[in-house]
Amino acid sequence: MMETQVNPTQPTTERMTSGENLAIDPEKLRAFTAGAKYRTSNDRMPWSRFDQDDVARYNVSLRLNDYYLSMLRYISKQHGVSQQKFMANVILPALENEWDNLKGGGLS
C-alpha cells in the first residue's frame, strides 16, 4: 500500500483524506477560547501609540433627538463652553472610566 505524503499547506479536507488524525481535544479548545478574550501585558492597546494630550483632529457623529439636543445646547450655554467642549468633558472621562472597568474584569 502506498502511503500519502501530507502537505501542511493543503486545505483541511484534503489532509483528512490522508488518514491523519485531526481530532480536536475539547478541553484544549475550551482553554484556548477562554484565554483568547484576555490580553497579556505584552499586548499593546491600539491607542498606546498616540499622545493622549494631542490636539483633537477628528469628529464623531452623535445622533440626538430634539429633547437631548435642546438639553445639550442649554447645558453648554450655562457652562459657557461650546457643545463640542462640553461633550468632550463628559465623554473622555467616561471612556477612561470604561477602560478601567474593562481592565478590572480581566483585560489589560
Side-chain angles (χ1 to χ4, degrees):
M1 181 170 157
M2 187 173 180
E3 190 168 321
T4 307
Q5 291 286 43
V6 176
N7 181 350
T9 61
Q10 289 177 329
T12 305
T13 54
E14 292 179 25
R15 292 182 66 205
M16 289 175 65
T17 59
S18 70
E20 182 180 349
N21 183 359
L22 296 176
I24 296 173
D25 180 350
E27 287 303 314
K28 288 182 180 179
L29 180 60
R30 264 192 286 287
F32 173 77
T33 56
K37 64 182 173 182
Y38 300 108
R39 294 184 175 271
T40 65
S41 59
N42 295 337
D43 292 339
R44 295 183 63 194
M45 293 296 107
W47 56 86
S48 63
R49 64 182 180 184
F50 301 111
D51 182 2
Q52 180 180 8
D53 299 321
D54 206 358
V55 176
R57 301 181 309 173
Y58 301 98
N59 291 316
V60 177
S61 291
L62 176 65
R63 295 174 61 97
L64 299 174
N65 62 21
D66 291 331
Y67 176 88
Y68 287 111
L69 180 59
S70 179
M71 186 183 286
L72 172 61
R73 287 177 176 158
Y74 182 83
I75 291 172
S76 65
K77 186 174 182 180
Q78 296 304 309
H79 285 286
V81 297
S82 69
Q83 294 171 32
Q84 287 284 332
K85 186 158 186 109
F86 175 77
M87 293 298 288
N89 289 339
V90 171
I91 291 173
L92 300 181
L95 286 172
E96 295 285 345
N97 186 49
E98 183 60 24
W99 171 237
D100 289 341
N101 291 340
L102 287 172
K103 284 192 304 187
L107 294 177
S108 61

